Amino acid sequence: MTDTYVICARKRNGDVFTSEPGPVRFLKVPSTVKTFYDSSHVVANPKIWAGEVQALADGDENPNSIAPTGDVLVFIHGYNNSMEDILGRTRQLSKDLRAEGWRGQVVAFDWPSANQTLNYLEDRWDGSQVAISLVSKAIRLLSEGQKADCRTNVHLLAHSAGAYVAMEAFLQAEKDGPLRNTPWRIGQVAFISGDVSMNSLSVKSDWSGPMFARIMRLTNYYNPFDAALAVSTAKRLGVSPRAGRRGLPEDAPDKAVAVNCGPYFKGLQPDASFAHVSWTHSWYIGNRVFARDLAMTLEGAIDRDFIPTRERIGGELCLADHPRPVFQSQWDIKSTAQMTERHIR
């Protein structure tokens, strides 16, 4: 197992990171570290950190990806995640994606979510503060790299309240003059158990507009059996159904696609290792069928309506356990992407 790269937005107290928001730091955590990271893992120069991540991504190009070089996936967790959870889930996600043929580099964005559900509304406020940090450091670093002719594809995967952090970050970036006037972009964005309202993903939403303007595609994976999001909806007196439980609104932008995971999920046996978190809310990471679908989504080579791990049921795209196309490795996707890139530059 290789090092785990983390963008950390926790406040530091001496050598220890706390549960309060703080300045963004860039970490490189050895595979031997299992429970928590500390100041000894900070890479002092963010550009060196970014260069290492880019080199790892570009040095192991995925032949099935339309990215001309490599891919980086930034994983933004939700509430109730300890540092041990973040390390474990980031590493599991990377392992599953690689097993399903995706060869990119997974990076964790760690924001300080509380460890009790009762602190959930406080987490929301923290999420807004953290989004500003995500803009001021991480997105700015990405923007500088793309100005320097970096062709590595960068994607986002946001779980639960991480979807809130991601959308708020795009909004804050649009308020930042230099960033607003720079043509930076994100490739694929995926929400799992997204704890944002369905209506916030409408084409009329001022909140999601900045996100859709900067990305290639949003894939909203949702599970109608998500008990944690049922609680989230109840807190709002049922007036704001959550995108991670109900899907997209009818007037979602063309860049958005919803994948209903309910028909697949209801046949899954709960995993005992999820005892300290909601199985219905957090099952995606560690599930190989989801990882296969996400891998093909990130690669971008197959139309969203025809990704093999999806079936049409009652007019909806639904997650299904099917393999990749048998001869996909012989389609010369990468060489086609590189040749096309040379023609349009």
Side-chain angles (χ1 to χ4, degrees):
M1 184 186 295
T2 60
D3 299 318
T4 302
Y5 288 82
V6 180
I7 305 168
C8 181
R10 294 175 182 266
K11 184 178 180 179
R12 202 173 83 183
N13 183 7
D15 292 334
V16 178
F17 290 108
T18 72
S19 59
E20 298 298 322
V24 166
R25 294 179 175 88
F26 297 86
L27 281 59
K28 180 180 177 180
V29 184
S31 59
T32 53
V33 175
K34 306 296 184 184
T35 55
F36 64 91
Y37 25 88
D38 57 36
S39 62
S40 69
H41 303 126
V42 174
V43 177
N45 189 329
K47 291 185 178 180
I48 291 177
W49 181 94
E52 288 187 14
V53 170
Q54 181 184 343
L56 287 168
D58 292 349
D60 191 12
E61 295 180 4
N62 183 350
N64 295 321
S65 172
I66 64 169
T69 52
D71 294 273
V72 174
L73 175 63
V74 179
F75 170 51
I76 308 175
H77 66 79
Y79 71 92
N80 194 25
N81 277 249
S82 66
M83 285 183 274
E84 181 177 5
D85 291 331
I86 293 154
L87 285 174
R89 290 166 71 76
T90 302
R91 290 165 176 169
Q92 183 67 54
L93 176 63
S94 180
K95 177 183 175 181
D96 291 342
L97 284 170
R98 179 163 289 274
E100 293 299 337
W102 191 76
R103 297 185 188 175
Q105 181 69 28
V106 179
V107 171
F109 178 75
D110 175 20
W111 61 285
S113 59
N115 290 323
Q116 298 179 17
T117 303
L118 292 177
N119 288 339
Y120 179 74
L121 294 181
E122 179 183 339
D123 290 348
R124 278 290 196 188
W125 184 86
D126 286 350
S128 296
Q129 305 306 304
V130 166
I132 297 173
S133 297
L134 178 57
V135 170
S136 64
K137 289 292 184 71
I139 291 183
R140 191 177 297 279
L141 188 64
L142 165 66
S143 173
E144 290 173 357
Q146 291 183 341
K147 283 192 296 185
D149 201 30
C150 167
R151 295 186 294 156
T152 306
N153 246 8
V154 178
H155 315 282
L156 299 180
L157 172 66
H159 176 235
S160 189
Y164 175 93
V165 172
M167 288 175 63
E168 186 69 14
F170 281 101
L171 179 65
Q172 295 299 331
E174 203 60 22
K175 296 177 181 179
D176 182 295
L179 276 178
R180 183 177 62 249
N181 298 321
T182 301
W184 62 274
R185 62 176 180 80
I186 297 290
Q188 301 285 341
V189 175
F191 289 170
I192 49 177
S193 302
D195 196 1
V196 293
S197 72
M198 289 178 65
N199 291 339
S200 69
L201 298 173
S202 162
V203 72
K204 298 188 293 288
S205 170
D206 293 333
W207 189 32
S208 63
M211 176 181 71
F212 283 114
R214 297 280 184 177
I215 70 174
M216 180 184 296
R217 174 86 61 227
L218 168 70
T219 302
N220 180 58
Y221 295 93
Y222 70 101
N223 178 19
F225 303 102
D226 192 318
L229 290 185
V231 174
S232 180
T233 301
K235 284 178 177 286
R236 297 165 177 82
L237 302 179
V239 298
S240 301
R242 314 320 284 165
R245 192 167 189 261
R246 290 282 298 276
L248 295 172
E250 291 184 2
D251 64 343
D254 290 340
K255 285 186 176 182
V257 61
V259 178
N260 183 351
C261 299
Y264 170 74
F265 170 81
K266 67 183 181 182
L268 293 180
Q269 181 176 356
D271 186 336
S273 67
F274 283 71
H276 69 297
V277 297
S278 168
W279 164 249
T280 63
H281 189 61
S282 304
W283 64 275
Y284 296 91
I285 296 178
N287 182 277
R288 288 280 294 276
V289 174
F290 164 72
R292 194 178 312 142
D293 189 281
L294 178 62
M296 288 185 279
T297 296
L298 298 175
E299 290 163 358
I302 302 175
D303 185 87
R304 56 184 171 171
D305 289 318
F306 294 93
I307 290 177
T309 41
R310 299 174 186 179
E311 293 179 347
R312 283 279 176 187
I313 301 177
E316 290 185 307
L317 283 176
C318 299
L319 186 67
D321 187 358
H322 298 305
R324 279 181 178 269
V326 176
F327 300 108
Q328 186 179 14
S329 62
Q330 300 176 29
W331 291 356
D332 294 327
I333 293 169
K334 177 65 69 177
S335 59
T336 299
Q338 292 171 338
M339 180 177 61
T340 304
E341 174 82 358
R342 286 194 295 270
H343 283 301
I344 64 176
R345 286 172 67 84

